[in-house]
């Protein structure tokens, strides 16, 4: 009996991590495409049949890529250059691919020696996949025929700036995948069908219990249950590490930031001229201990040196204390760093009500001298600002949504709602407001926790309108803030927040740490 074997290597949510470095501290890390390149080179020497894929969110996420876009985008995209050298055979469009705008993304696609797959990301003018082919076929030397189809979470319009996705229609990922899987089996008749989905799982893969609000952002579990003909589902987006089987579909998710990769082994046997899948298994492997590829280091050297110089530039000084010692306490009680970000946003937008969040638990705030490294370590997303016209009722609804971040834990203390931690940390979806006074009582039921909201000492009026500045992710409804989309836009500030923070320091070379305790979180 004839047999065949295929090894699949794939990455997902690399987020601009080309080199093994943590830019906020300049410490070395066991991550990045320069280490992954070594893995692939080794695999090419030891494996006859190899398929190498990426599952999206490749080009955004590090100061390296921020600096590239701001200062060096006339040159080749470094993430694409590395992936071209590694020799990947396809990537899937991720939601963060759109963050730098359509021009950067379209240049990225043009520079790629591999196709970008997204069967459900549709050109509104042609009604065809915007980025080209929805799937591709690879025939192994044994004659085994492999199909790879890509889809992207269709929730992108809830997060992205409208001008970044102009002319693009995001069709339902589940429905689109079902149609394309049927088409591929009917037309191509593959022996193995791989679906690569930039999205994750809305349910626990073992119990089937919901793990999040079923918005359609993640549909992996439903795909496995409802679509016939998928053999392997590669996933991402949630930054999880998992492997398993759902309805005989092998599923895997390999983590994030280039810390690991997925390895899938598929064995086939031939019976009466037809190839059958005999075995399929998946593992997530770390890059710990893997040496960095010297060719990748040399390729990145010029841009990396420029990035390091940029990061070490002093931009301003702090008088007082803006360091964050406890991220949780910085959310429970007003912190001077949060007040600083609010002041930047209000100054840039020219309004007196602002919304922001502490973006992750690694933020350390600012010391006495602030460099660009400090800024990008604390504000790692390329968000721009939007001023919305909101009613008092909208503000109250948003505060109630934000207040769901807290619970009373088993010790009777205020803690973090597990829904904001698992399956993916989403601390950035807890907002704090400036320019109003309010109180959250965590002992009250979710939806009834805001005990008062005042502006200038007077209760807000539910049917009056207020000008509020917030980032574009939140203004588009990101984090399921459904009260914000389609509200009147008063102003858009096109510079991203990193640039606005630098601009603020140019206006105020030394910034005093101030603290206006305008909100309370009590139990």
């Amino acid at each position: 009996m004839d047999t065949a074997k295929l090894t699949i290597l794939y990455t997902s949510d690399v987020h601009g991590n080309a080199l093994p470095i943590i830019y906020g501290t300049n410490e070395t890390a066991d991550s990045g495409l320069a280490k992954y390149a070594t893995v692939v080179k080794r695999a090419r020497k030891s494996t006859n049949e190899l398929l190498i894929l990426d599952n999206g969110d490749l080009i955004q996420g590090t100061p390296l890529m921020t600096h590239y876009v701001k200062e060096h985008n006339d040159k080749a995209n470094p993430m694409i250059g590395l992936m071209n050298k590694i020799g990947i055979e396809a990537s899937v469009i991720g939601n963060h691919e759109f963050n730098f705008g359509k021009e950067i993304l379209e240049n990225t696609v043009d520079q790629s020696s591999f196709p970008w797959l997204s069967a459900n990301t549709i050109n509104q003018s042609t009604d065809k996949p915007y980025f080209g082919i929805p799937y591709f076929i690879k025939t192994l030397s044994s004659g085994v025929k492999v199909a790879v189809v890509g889809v992207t979470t269709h929730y992108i319009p809830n997060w992205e700036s409208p001008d970044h996705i102009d002319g693009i229609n995001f069709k339902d990922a589940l429905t689109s995948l079902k149609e394309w899987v049927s088409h591929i089996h009917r037309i191509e008749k593959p022996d193995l069908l791989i679906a690569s989905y930039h999205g994750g799982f809305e349910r626990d893969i073992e119990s089937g219990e919901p793990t999040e609000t079923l918005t359609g952002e993640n549909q992996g579990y439903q795909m496995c249950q409802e679509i016939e003909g998928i053999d392997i589902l590669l996933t991402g987006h949630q930054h999880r590490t998992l492997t398993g089987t759902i309805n005989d579909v092998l599923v895997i998710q390999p983590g994030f930031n280039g810390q690991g990769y997925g390895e899938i082994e598929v064995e086939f046997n031939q019976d009466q001229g037809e190839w059958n899948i005999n075995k399929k298994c998946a593992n997530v492997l770390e890059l710990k201990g893997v040496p960095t590829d010297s060719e990748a280091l040399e390729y990145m050297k010029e841009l990396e040196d420029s990035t390091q110089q940029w990061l070490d530039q002093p931009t301003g000084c702090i008088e007082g204390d803006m360091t964050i010692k406890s991220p949780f306490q910085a959310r429970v009680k007003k912190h001077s760093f949060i007040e600083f970000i609010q002041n930047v946003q209000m100054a840039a937008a020219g309004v007196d009500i602002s919304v922001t969040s502490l973006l992750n638990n690694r933020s350390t705030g600012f010391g006495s001298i602030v460099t660009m490294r400090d800024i990008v370590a604390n504000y790692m997303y390329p968000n721009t600002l939007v001023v919305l016209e909101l009613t008092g009722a909208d503000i109250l609804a948003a505060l109630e949504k934000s207040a769901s971040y807290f619970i009373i834990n088993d010790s009777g203390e205020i803690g973090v709602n597990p829904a904001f931690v698992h399956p993916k940390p989403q601390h950035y979806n807890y907002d704090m407001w400036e320019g109003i006074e309010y109180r959250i009582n965590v002992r009250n039921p979710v939806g009834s926790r805001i005990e008062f909201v005042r502006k200038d000492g007077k209760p807000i009026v539910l049917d009056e309108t207020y000008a509020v500045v917030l980032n574009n992710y939140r203004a588009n409804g990101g984090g399921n803030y459904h009260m914000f989309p389609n509200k009147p836009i008063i102003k858009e500030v096109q510079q991203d927040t990193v640039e606005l923070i630098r601009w603020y320091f140019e206006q105020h070379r030394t910034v005093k740490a101030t603290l206006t305790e305008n909100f309370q979180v009590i139990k």
Side-chain angles (χ1 to χ4, degrees):
M1 180 181 293
D2 289 336
T3 61
K5 184 177 179 180
L6 171 67
T7 298
I8 304 158
L9 300 180
Y10 97 105
T11 48
S12 189
D13 300 88
V14 174
H15 283 293
N17 283 273
L19 298 170
I21 188 170
I22 301 170
Y23 283 100
T25 60
N26 243 4
E27 296 173 320
T28 58
D30 287 309
S31 60
L33 291 185
K35 282 181 173 283
Y36 181 61
T38 301
V39 170
V40 176
K41 283 184 177 181
R42 289 174 174 175
R44 292 194 190 282
K45 293 179 180 179
S46 61
T47 306
N48 290 328
E49 300 285 9
L50 193 61
L51 175 60
I52 308 168
L53 303 169
D54 179 72
N55 192 52
D57 278 6
L58 175 65
I59 66 172
Q60 174 277 334
T62 57
L64 174 85
M65 289 307 298
T66 298
H67 182 57
Y68 162 75
V69 168
K70 291 182 182 300
E71 302 293 341
H72 297 283
N73 65 50
D74 57 325
K75 303 172 185 174
N77 188 307
M79 300 303 289
I80 301 308
L82 283 176
M83 283 302 202
N84 286 342
K85 290 179 179 296
I86 287 170
I88 72 168
E89 293 168 71
S91 185
V92 174
I93 293 290
N95 54 294
H96 284 286
E97 257 67 70
F98 296 91
N99 285 173
F100 294 128
K102 286 177 68 177
E103 182 179 358
I104 293 294
L105 177 51
E106 289 172 356
N107 289 343
T108 293
V109 173
D110 290 344
Q111 293 166 16
S112 302
S113 60
F114 50 89
W116 287 81
L117 310 177
S118 187
N120 66 314
T121 303
I122 305 301
N123 188 318
Q124 290 178 352
S125 299
T126 64
D127 204 34
K128 295 179 180 179
Y130 192 92
F131 296 98
I133 63 174
Y135 70 92
F136 77 97
I137 300 294
K138 176 169 183 167
T139 302
L140 308 186
S141 59
S142 60
V144 170
K145 192 174 185 180
V146 180
V148 181
V149 57
V151 287
T152 303
T153 177
H154 59 260
Y155 216 61
I156 290 171
N158 292 284
W159 307 313
E160 194 53 71
S161 296
D163 60 310
H164 290 183
I165 55 175
D166 182 50
I168 301 175
N169 181 25
F170 295 90
K171 290 189 175 181
D172 184 276
L174 172 72
T175 303
S176 298
L177 184 59
K178 184 180 293 186
E179 293 171 355
W180 279 104
V181 167
S182 175
H183 171 88
I184 292 166
H185 277 292
R186 185 174 68 254
I187 302 300
E188 306 287 357
K189 297 178 173 54
D191 303 302
L192 176 73
L193 191 144
I194 301 166
S196 190
Y197 169 45
H198 190 83
F201 297 98
E202 72 280 25
R203 297 177 181 271
D204 183 275
I205 67 171
E206 295 182 356
S207 69
E209 290 297 315
T211 54
E212 59 182 52
T213 304
L214 302 181
T215 61
E217 177 182 348
N218 298 297
Q219 299 172 294
Y221 191 90
Q222 192 178 2
M223 288 173 174
C224 295
Q225 293 288 3
E226 297 186 12
I227 301 176
E228 293 294 329
I230 300 174
D231 298 305
I232 299 170
L233 180 66
L234 310 179
T235 67
H237 183 57
Q238 293 173 309
H239 296 187
R240 300 170 67 186
T241 300
L242 60 84
T243 59
T245 302
I246 304 171
N247 194 27
D248 200 36
V249 179
L250 181 66
V251 299
I252 180 171
Q253 193 169 143
F256 67 108
N257 286 356
Q259 296 169 357
Y261 61 96
E263 181 183 74
I264 302 98
E265 302 280 356
V266 188
E267 296 178 4
F268 306 87
N269 58 49
Q270 195 174 44
D271 184 17
Q272 298 181 350
E274 291 189 2
W275 287 104
N276 301 304
I277 300 170
N278 183 47
K279 181 183 178 182
K280 51 185 178 180
C281 60
N283 291 290
V284 175
L285 303 175
E286 296 181 344
L287 290 172
K288 187 175 183 179
V290 175
T292 305
D293 180 68
S294 58
E295 291 182 15
L297 283 179
E298 182 60 30
Y299 173 76
M300 293 298 302
K301 186 177 187 307
E302 183 177 350
L303 178 59
E304 172 65 8
D305 289 347
S306 178
T307 300
Q308 290 292 343
Q309 291 175 14
W310 174 66
L311 287 172
D312 286 334
Q313 292 176 6
T315 60
C317 300
I318 301 297
E319 180 184 329
D321 186 8
M322 276 193 198
T323 60
I324 297 171
K325 299 174 178 62
S326 166
F328 178 73
Q329 288 301 318
R331 297 184 179 102
V332 172
K333 299 182 70 173
K334 183 69 172 292
H335 193 281
S336 57
F337 174 77
I338 296 299
E339 186 159 310
F340 169 81
I341 298 296
Q342 305 278 32
N343 288 339
V344 170
Q345 294 189 168
M346 291 187 293
V351 298
D352 62 358
I353 302 178
S354 174
V355 182
T356 195
S357 59
L358 183 62
L359 297 179
N360 67 38
N361 284 349
R362 296 189 302 275
S363 294
T364 58
F366 291 156
S368 58
I369 298 176
V370 181
T371 64
M372 287 303 299
R373 190 184 306 280
D374 299 317
I375 295 173
V376 298
N378 284 278
Y379 209 105
M380 63 291 302
Y381 300 117
N383 293 329
T384 56
L385 299 180
V386 180
V387 179
L388 295 182
E389 182 181 282
L390 300 178
T391 65
D394 295 329
I395 292 173
L396 179 60
L399 287 168
E400 289 287 4
K401 168 66 179 171
S402 196
S404 68
Y405 178 77
F406 298 108
I407 60 167
I408 300 296
N409 61 28
D410 293 340
S411 301
E413 300 298 324
I414 298 173
V416 178
N417 184 342
F420 286 78
V421 181
H422 305 291
K424 174 184 175 179
Q426 298 182 59
H427 301 289
Y428 49 80
N429 282 330
Y430 166 69
D431 283 339
M432 291 163 280
W433 289 64
E434 190 77 28
I436 59 174
E437 303 84 44
Y438 60 96
R439 182 164 67 206
I440 299 172
N441 190 332
V442 185
R443 289 205 177 273
N444 292 339
V446 170
S448 302
R449 289 181 164 180
I450 304 302
E451 294 194 327
F452 64 81
V453 189
R454 296 191 292 256
K455 181 170 183 352
D456 301 326
K458 299 177 182 179
I460 63 166
V461 181
L462 296 183
D463 59 357
E464 285 192 7
T465 58
Y466 303 83
V468 179
V469 59
L470 61 172
N471 68 51
N472 64 289
Y473 169 80
R474 188 69 80 239
N476 290 326
N480 299 321
Y481 281 78
H482 301 303
M483 67 293 301
F484 294 145
N486 303 316
K487 292 295 157 54
I489 297 174
I490 298 173
K491 181 189 296 186
E492 293 184 76
V493 181
Q494 294 298 337
Q495 297 101 319
D496 69 43
T497 307
V498 167
E499 283 300 305
L500 291 175
I501 293 171
R502 180 163 70 174
W503 162 81
Y504 193 83
F505 276 119
E506 289 173 355
Q507 308 303 308
H508 313 276
R509 185 59 62 182
T510 298
V511 176
K512 187 175 181 179
T514 59
L515 190 62
T516 306
E517 295 185 354
N518 64 303
F519 71 86
Q520 295 175 290
V521 181
I522 66 170
K523 60 175 181 171

